[in-house]
Amino acid sequence: MEFLRPASWREALEAKAAHPDATPIAGGTDVMVEINFDHRRPSTLLDLTGVPELTGWSEEGGELRIGAGLPYTNLINELGDRVPGLAIASRTVGSPQIRNRGTLGGNLGSASPAGDGHPPLLASDARIEVESVRGKRLIPATEFFTGVKRNALAEDELIAAVHIAPATGAQQFSKVGTRNAMVIAVCTFAIALHPDRKQVGTGIGSAAPTPLRAVAAEEFLSAELDWEQRRPLEESVARRFGELVAQAASPIDDVRGTADYRRHALAVMARRTLSWVWNDHCSGRQECA
């Protein structure tokens, strides 16, 4: 196995161009486990942990640019108030040790349907910045996942950053697992209110071949919510929203749960997270008491 460790982003892109079959490592929390258990034996490893350009974040034109190599712990501590949904999801990733090493870029590179960071990116209309020696491009999160553990990267491209707008409304994330921590999700759900444009964003994880949005549920709820007066949420609206979220999924039976359970859990999580974000949106208003 060949091991490459570039010291700059340019070196990393050149190495990937010269070795298109190279497997990138950001935190290594997924790849090294697969190698240690002999589930995977790549011909070349491309270690990106020494590339300083990947480990920071910035704000440009009212949008956050989060480097692909920024550890989850830094994301939580430094950006939790700006992207609360993503921060909540990041807190559910592994253990403190894993969050110190694991990265959003690595999560995206693995493209697992159960990736905890994926649903909040979908709910917030995030874009993935990818680059090669040929140039860079931005891929909407809705177009990034192409299949089970497959993504839209060309063979010579690397993930550079995530572009995401700071939250303009309440956001939430919910996860069901077989235990409270250190677990692969049975299913996950993210919701984001966008009151500036009177829209709702959603993201579903571990309940289809790829993470996905519940588009029909978004459209229904965006039209039903009383954005201006912020009146209490009607039970029938919350129930229908949960039904539409469950219908958007296409889960399977596996060792972590059945398809029927996943649909049921998604409906419950959708209703609960909706009540949380709507209460936050209505905070301080008598009508929502």
Side-chain angles (χ1 to χ4, degrees):
M1 185 185 299
E2 190 170 0
F3 183 78
L4 307 175
R5 197 169 196 270
S8 70
W9 182 235
R10 186 64 194 178
E11 286 183 18
L13 296 178
E14 291 173 350
K16 184 61 172 169
H19 303 269
D21 61 336
T23 298
I25 297 179
T29 57
D30 283 343
V31 174
M32 293 309 300
V33 171
E34 293 180 338
I35 291 175
N36 289 338
F37 281 95
D38 208 26
H39 294 162
R40 190 174 181 182
R41 190 58 55 177
S43 60
T44 306
L45 287 178
L46 179 58
D47 182 7
L48 301 176
T49 57
V51 178
E53 294 94 327
L54 296 178
T55 59
W57 62 271
S58 61
E59 188 166 3
E60 305 167 0
E63 187 176 61
L64 295 172
R65 183 184 183 275
I66 304 173
L70 184 73
Y72 286 113
T73 298
N74 296 61
L75 191 157
I76 294 165
N77 293 337
E78 299 170 22
L79 296 172
D81 59 336
R82 303 193 193 191
V83 283
L86 185 56
I88 295 169
S90 298
R91 291 189 188 99
T92 72
V93 175
S95 63
Q97 297 92 331
I98 290 175
R99 291 193 291 274
N100 286 340
R101 291 286 298 178
T103 64
L104 190 59
N107 203 206
L108 287 165
S110 298
S112 168
D116 294 325
H118 302 154
L121 296 181
L122 291 167
S124 298
D125 299 313
R127 298 176 297 163
I128 319 304
E129 179 186 331
V130 304
E131 190 171 358
S132 70
V133 293
R134 298 177 288 110
K136 68 176 63 176
R137 60 189 178 118
L138 290 172
I139 305 173
T142 51
E143 300 174 13
F144 185 79
F145 307 102
T146 59
V148 178
K149 294 191 174 183
R150 297 200 306 272
N151 57 46
L153 286 171
E155 64 178 8
D156 64 340
E157 288 181 321
L158 294 171
I159 300 170
V162 169
H163 292 248
I164 184 171
T168 60
Q171 299 181 351
Q172 270 293 342
F173 173 82
S174 184
K175 175 178 178 176
V176 171
T178 53
R179 57 186 183 182
N180 287 336
M182 295 288 289
V183 65
I184 298 174
V186 175
C187 56
T188 57
F189 181 72
I191 184 171
L193 298 185
H194 305 291
D196 54 324
R197 58 180 192 264
K198 298 182 181 179
Q199 290 182 340
V200 176
T202 62
I204 295 172
S206 202
T210 66
L212 76 161
R213 294 174 67 160
V215 177
E218 294 176 1
E219 294 174 347
F220 165 77
L221 189 59
S222 297
E224 290 292 329
L225 291 179
D226 189 344
W227 295 98
E228 299 297 337
Q229 296 299 319
R230 307 187 186 191
R231 286 184 168 78
L233 189 67
E234 294 183 13
E235 183 179 346
S236 60
V237 171
R239 185 170 58 251
R240 181 56 180 160
F241 176 66
E243 292 171 353
L244 290 171
V245 167
Q247 290 173 17
S250 53
I252 60 171
D253 297 335
D254 63 15
V255 295
R256 297 195 304 278
T258 65
D260 286 343
Y261 175 74
R262 284 184 164 97
R263 290 192 184 93
H264 169 74
L266 281 170
V268 173
M269 288 192 294
R271 294 196 303 269
R272 286 179 179 173
T273 55
L274 170 57
S275 69
W276 297 338
V277 294
W278 190 246
N279 285 338
D280 285 346
H281 181 68
C282 297
S283 180
R285 295 292 294 259
Q286 186 175 359
E287 295 93 335
C288 298

